[in-house]
Amino acid sequence: YRSASDLPARIGLKKTGVYDFDFADLPATGDSYAEGTFEFNTQNADRTKNKFQFIISAPGLNDQPDKISIKNIAFEFIPTAVEDSR
């Protein structure tokens, strides 16, 4: 992805509540593309029809000339052991 320094951007995983997301910041990259890795806890994620939903958030995007450019997105689901709470 590529994002300007004055454009705050985040990627989020939809949780079970309405308009409730687990967000991670997309660091600014300047003029070059960067690869980002983000981890999300899927325990409270919305799994409607057994699918996860993600969002890119960039408040003020329409109010300035800078844009976010996404060249490629890939997701890898790595299950982790759930701790026994007993």
Side-chain angles (χ1 to χ4, degrees):
Y1 73 93
R2 183 174 62 202
S3 178
S5 61
D6 58 347
L7 181 61
R10 305 179 299 170
I11 184 169
L13 171 65
K14 186 171 186 324
K15 296 178 7 181
T16 55
V18 177
Y19 300 113
D20 190 10
F21 293 87
D22 181 11
F23 281 108
D25 290 333
L26 290 172
T29 63
D31 292 333
S32 60
Y33 279 94
E35 184 175 305
T37 301
F38 307 94
E39 293 184 20
F40 295 98
N41 182 340
T42 59
Q43 187 172 3
N44 295 320
D46 181 11
R47 292 187 188 121
T48 303
K49 296 184 180 179
N50 209 26
K51 295 179 182 181
F52 293 112
Q53 297 180 47
F54 292 86
I55 187 171
I56 302 291
S57 171
L61 181 65
N62 291 331
D63 300 332
Q64 61 178 353
D66 293 323
K67 301 294 178 204
I68 298 171
S69 178
I70 298 173
K71 194 172 188 179
N72 184 31
I73 291 183
F75 294 94
E76 180 178 8
F77 181 70
I78 303 171
T80 57
V82 177
E83 291 183 28
D84 189 353
S85 60
R86 287 184 270 159

